């Protein structure tokens, strides 16, 4: 039979152990811990009782209220009396005061909530003045879940959640009260104070719904995940560090190229900006978009499609052939539309773009990379082998690249394959920024900052689970995206301050739980013990990031 044993240690503490009798001898099964006061003793006794409980052993309900066991600190050992018989004063032992059993009322990750709430406030999001909205944002960061299950997440952090009806009213206020506008203004103020918004980056993604029918917002369109479900298109504007500045929601069948101008103009009008650089990938490359951005006095850097290289680099191919050196840069011009070509291939020198001289062209920068060429050649070889398998009848599939049809059936398109081989390793960039304001290397470096917006999208889709599974109406979807937008801003700031990923921060802070105890009729909260690394992380989250 096992029991709980208390013994005083040499240091004066009371050790709590689990012991058992084996063949008439006492054997220590487990040392639970040592207590130096009644609070610690109560916690250790409670832990020891839980260790002794047998989950398979039920309790017989006799209708009797059990008495509260009491635990006392072990008194120091008394000195041995001098002489044959002890004196009455030496024999008398002063009893130690007994303390009632300490009950653990609850434990919570209050430190995690306080740290995230501090970041939320430092970003200026308290301007919304809605505690329910703040709790929904923090719950989305810690564990994305449904509106009904938010109670559990907040209770784990020691928060008493509002009712489900109150949370639903907060979502309605979120959309009707222009919470997103207030959050976006606070994000812009923070970005200007701690960084730079002279260059912003834009990209889009799609979020699908498991719905049978379309509506005015959720429509079937081009899906990056190759799905045929109704979806919405989400556009995100961030600074060069990936901090979110603006978010937009569009119909699922809206083309990507039709989203960049509205959201950029909205951002420009909201903050009264006269001049900034917008960076986007090749999917946004359309003559209408570039013209609209230029007419709005905005600078842009967008990726060019490799199919434009033969026309843009016609002069280079004529005078230098297909030879390129690693990291070679070629500055030239590219037509604004396909109708007017201002680059004369008979002139060996590439033209230097000037707005007043080349009204029908944009500035183009082409870069060659040996590493990219190796990767492109490997991809082309795989595509060539797949095409040959289809031509030979070894594989039946939809017509792949480099396969064309004629009267005899499938044949290999050797001309297209040779043309693609000629362009391996090339990457193009189109801009309306003159070379004297931004050299070619800086144009390329600015474009490569697009990985930050892609990382923000990955965070929103994975860590924050941005897909609105439980939202159906447009107002609910917009409110959900506003919560995701605010949660993404807080998460990005957490990463910038800590230097760790959001998942790593949550893994460190979430297990740190404070305990609320009931001792002799009073309630006491015991904070968790912190290691130096945990203290350093908490201090970093409480300290705003320096200006970059």
């Amino acid at each position: 039979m096992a029991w709980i044993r208390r013994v005083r240690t040499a240091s004066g503490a009371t050790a709590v152990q689990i012991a058992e009798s084996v063949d008439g001898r006492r054997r220590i099964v487990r040392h639970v811990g040592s207590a130096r006061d009644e609070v610690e003793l109560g916690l250790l006794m409670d832990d020891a009782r839980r260790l002794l409980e047998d989950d398979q052993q039920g309790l017989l309900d006799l209708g009797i209220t059990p008495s509260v066991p009491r635990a006392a600190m072990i008194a120091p050992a008394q000195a041995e009396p001098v002489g044959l018989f002890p004196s009455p004063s030496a024999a008398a032992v002063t009893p130690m005061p007994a303390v009632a059993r300490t009950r653990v009322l609850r434990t919570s990750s209050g430190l995690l909530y306080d740290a995230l709430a501090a970041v939320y406030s430092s970003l200026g999001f308290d301007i919304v003045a809605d505690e329910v909205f703040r709790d929904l944002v923090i719950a989305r960061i810690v564990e994305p879940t449904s509106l009904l299950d938010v109670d559990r997440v907040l209770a784990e952090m020691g928060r008493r959640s509002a009712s489900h009806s109150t949370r639903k009213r907060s979502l309605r206020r979120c959309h009707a009260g222009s919470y997103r506008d207030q959050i976006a203004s606070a994000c812009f103020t923070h970005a200007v104070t701690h960084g730079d918004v002279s260059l912003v980056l834009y990209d889009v993604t799609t979020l699908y719904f498991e719905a049978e029918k379309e509506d005015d917002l959720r429509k079937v369109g081009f899906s990056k995940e190759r799905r045929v479900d109704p979806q919405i298109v989400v556009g995100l504007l961030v600074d060069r560090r990936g901090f979110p500045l603006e978010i937009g929601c569009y119909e699922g069948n809206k083309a990507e190229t039709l989203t960049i101008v509205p959201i950029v103009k909205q951002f420009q009008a909201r903050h009264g900006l006269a001049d900034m650089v917008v960076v986007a990938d090749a999917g946004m490359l359309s003559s209408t978009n570039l013209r609209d951005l230029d007419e709005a006095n905005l600078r842009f850097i967008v990726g060019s499609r490799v199919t434009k290289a033969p026309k843009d680099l016609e002069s280079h191919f004529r005078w230098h052939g297909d030879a390129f050196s690693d990291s070679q840069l070629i500055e030239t011009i590219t037509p604004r539309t396909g109708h007017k070509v201002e680059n004369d291939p008979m002139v060996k020198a590439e033209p230097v773009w000037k707005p007043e001289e080349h009204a029908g062209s944009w500035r183009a920068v082409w870069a060659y990379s040996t590493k990219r060429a190796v990767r492109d050649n490997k991809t082309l070889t795989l595509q060539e082998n797949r095409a040959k398998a289809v031509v030979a009848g070894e594989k039946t599939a939809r017509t792949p690249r480099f396969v064309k049809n004629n009267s005899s059936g499938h044949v290999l398109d050797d001309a297209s394959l040779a043309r693609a081989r000629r362009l391996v390793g090339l990457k193009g960039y189109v801009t309306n920024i003159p070379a004297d304001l931004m050299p070619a290397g800086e144009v390329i470096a600015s474009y490569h900052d697009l990985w930050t917006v892609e990382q923000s999208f990955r965070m929103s889709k994975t860590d924050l689970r941005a897909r609105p599974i439980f939202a159906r109406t447009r107002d609910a979807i917009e409110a959900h995206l506003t919560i995701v937008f605010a949660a993404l801003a807080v998460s990005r700031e957490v990463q910038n301050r800590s230097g760790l990923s959001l998942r790593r921060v949550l893994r460190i802070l979430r297990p740190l739980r404070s305990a609320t105890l009931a001792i002799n009729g009073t309630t006491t909260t015991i904070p968790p013990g912190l290691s130096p690394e945990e203290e350093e992380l908490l201090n970093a989250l409480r300290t705003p990031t320096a200006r970059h």
Side-chain angles (χ1 to χ4, degrees):
M1 178 180 178
W3 74 92
I4 300 175
R5 177 174 181 261
R6 292 179 294 117
V7 60
R8 193 170 185 87
T9 64
S11 63
T14 297
V16 178
Q17 303 168 340
I18 295 178
E20 66 175 357
S21 294
V22 179
D23 297 331
R25 294 188 177 186
R26 182 179 64 230
R27 185 173 73 89
I28 304 302
V29 177
R30 180 168 179 174
H31 178 77
V32 181
S34 299
R36 295 188 176 276
D37 54 40
E38 288 80 7
V39 174
E40 292 181 357
L41 178 62
L43 284 173
L44 293 177
M45 293 293 290
D46 193 67
D47 289 342
R49 292 187 188 95
R50 282 200 300 269
L51 290 172
L52 282 179
E53 288 177 357
D54 185 358
D55 293 336
Q56 305 299 324
Q57 178 69 43
L59 295 177
L60 182 61
D61 186 7
L62 301 177
I64 302 175
T65 303
S67 60
V68 179
R70 305 174 71 86
M73 299 290 288
I74 301 299
Q78 301 296 318
E80 289 293 332
V82 179
L84 182 61
F85 299 101
S87 62
S89 59
V93 178
T94 304
M96 293 292 293
V99 297
R101 174 186 176 184
T102 300
R103 290 188 301 114
V104 180
L105 301 179
R106 61 182 177 274
T107 62
S108 64
S109 303
L111 280 178
L112 174 60
Y113 182 90
D114 293 341
L116 295 177
V119 176
Y120 179 95
S121 298
S122 68
L123 292 176
F125 291 171
D126 284 338
I127 191 175
V128 174
D130 188 338
E131 291 187 0
V132 178
F133 176 80
R134 179 192 62 192
D135 286 351
L136 292 176
V137 171
I138 293 177
R140 172 66 47 178
I141 297 171
V142 175
E143 184 180 335
T145 185
S146 67
L147 198 63
L148 281 171
D149 201 30
V150 166
D151 284 336
R152 175 185 58 82
V153 180
L154 292 175
E156 182 186 341
M157 293 184 287
R159 295 287 297 177
R160 179 173 296 179
S161 175
S163 67
H164 184 240
S165 298
T166 302
R167 294 196 293 272
K168 291 170 66 176
R169 286 194 294 270
S170 178
L171 290 181
R172 288 194 291 270
R173 290 195 304 270
C174 176
H175 182 66
S178 301
Y179 283 11
R180 186 182 299 177
D181 295 340
Q182 300 177 58
I183 295 294
S185 297
C187 286
F188 176 78
T189 301
H190 175 80
V192 170
T193 305
H194 298 86
D196 178 25
V197 294
S198 62
L199 184 143
V200 296
L201 305 103
Y202 179 76
D203 203 358
V204 300
T205 191
T206 55
L207 302 176
Y208 73 92
F209 295 80
E210 295 178 354
E212 296 180 358
K213 297 181 179 180
E214 299 177 295
D215 53 33
D216 293 339
L217 178 63
R218 300 177 297 168
K219 293 183 177 295
V220 176
F222 173 75
S223 172
K224 294 188 175 184
E225 300 172 351
R226 301 181 181 276
R227 305 187 68 94
V228 293
D229 302 292
Q231 64 180 19
I232 59 175
V233 176
V234 179
L236 183 66
L237 198 69
V238 304
D239 67 5
R240 62 172 71 239
R241 296 180 301 140
F243 187 78
L245 300 172
E246 197 84 30
I247 193 170
C249 176
Y250 307 96
E251 294 80 6
N253 60 355
K254 197 177 187 71
E256 293 182 2
T257 55
L258 301 179
T259 64
I260 182 172
V261 173
I263 197 169
V264 169
K265 286 188 174 180
Q266 175 181 306
F267 179 74
Q268 186 183 26
R270 185 196 304 278
H271 307 296
L273 299 177
D275 187 19
M276 65 180 182
V277 179
V278 181
V279 182
D281 65 10
M284 306 300 159
L285 182 61
S286 73
S287 58
T288 303
N289 278 347
L290 301 187
R291 184 196 64 219
D292 291 344
L293 291 174
D294 188 65
E295 291 177 352
N297 295 321
L298 294 172
R299 312 285 188 177
F300 61 78
I301 300 173
V302 297
S304 183
R305 297 183 179 91
V306 71
T307 54
K308 292 181 176 292
K311 183 65 67 176
D312 292 355
L313 300 177
E314 187 176 3
S315 175
H316 176 87
F317 287 132
R318 177 181 178 84
W319 295 97
H320 303 282
D322 299 344
F324 294 94
S325 59
D326 191 26
S327 302
Q328 182 178 354
L329 298 179
I330 302 174
E331 288 211 48
T332 183
I333 59 176
T334 186
R336 296 192 180 192
T337 64
H339 307 294
K340 185 176 182 180
V341 179
E342 298 178 331
N343 188 358
D344 186 1
M346 303 305 294
V347 179
K348 185 175 182 179
E350 296 288 349
V352 178
W353 182 76
K354 295 181 180 179
E356 59 278 3
E357 295 181 11
H358 305 97
S361 302
W362 302 115
R363 178 189 175 196
V365 177
W366 287 90
Y368 179 85
S369 167
T370 302
K371 184 177 180 180
R372 185 185 295 115
V374 172
R375 184 174 64 248
D376 291 348
N377 264 319
K378 182 178 179 181
T379 302
L380 288 176
T381 300
L382 292 174
Q383 293 175 340
E384 180 184 4
N385 293 337
R386 189 179 300 115
K388 289 180 178 179
V390 171
V391 171
E394 300 172 0
K395 179 181 292 187
T396 57
R398 62 189 182 95
T399 305
R401 190 181 181 190
F402 306 128
V403 172
K404 62 181 181 180
N405 298 321
N406 59 15
S407 57
S408 61
H410 294 311
V411 295
L412 185 66
D413 191 350
D414 294 304
S416 296
L417 180 60
R419 185 165 54 248
R421 294 278 189 192
R422 188 185 189 194
L423 303 177
V424 295
L426 290 171
K427 174 64 179 176
Y429 313 87
V430 178
T431 181
N432 62 344
I433 307 174
D436 56 347
L437 294 181
M438 183 178 287
E442 190 174 345
V443 170
I444 297 174
S446 298
Y447 180 85
H448 288 176
D449 283 338
L450 273 175
W451 70 270
T452 59
V453 66
E454 293 170 357
Q455 185 186 57
S456 293
F457 267 135
R458 284 195 299 271
M459 286 181 61
S460 64
K461 282 191 169 184
T462 56
D463 297 340
L464 305 178
R465 297 182 194 171
R467 191 165 72 87
I469 302 175
F470 305 101
R472 294 293 179 264
T473 65
R474 181 163 196 144
D475 290 354
I477 293 172
E478 294 279 8
H480 170 81
L481 290 179
T482 301
I483 291 175
V484 172
F485 179 54
L488 178 60
V490 175
S491 302
R492 272 298 193 178
E493 184 65 11
V494 166
Q495 287 187 335
N496 292 335
R497 294 186 184 187
S498 65
L500 304 173
S501 68
L502 177 64
R503 292 184 181 182
R504 177 62 178 162
V505 171
L506 294 178
R507 280 199 298 266
I508 293 175
L509 296 184
R510 197 170 183 181
L512 301 179
R513 306 178 71 86
S514 58
T516 302
L517 313 176
I519 306 173
N520 291 331
T522 61
T523 302
T524 304
T525 300
I526 308 298
L530 301 177
S531 67
E533 293 78 9
E534 293 163 348
E535 285 275 11
E536 182 180 358
L537 174 58
L538 287 172
N539 290 333
L541 295 181
R542 298 186 186 110
T543 305
T545 53
R547 181 179 177 85
H548 291 268

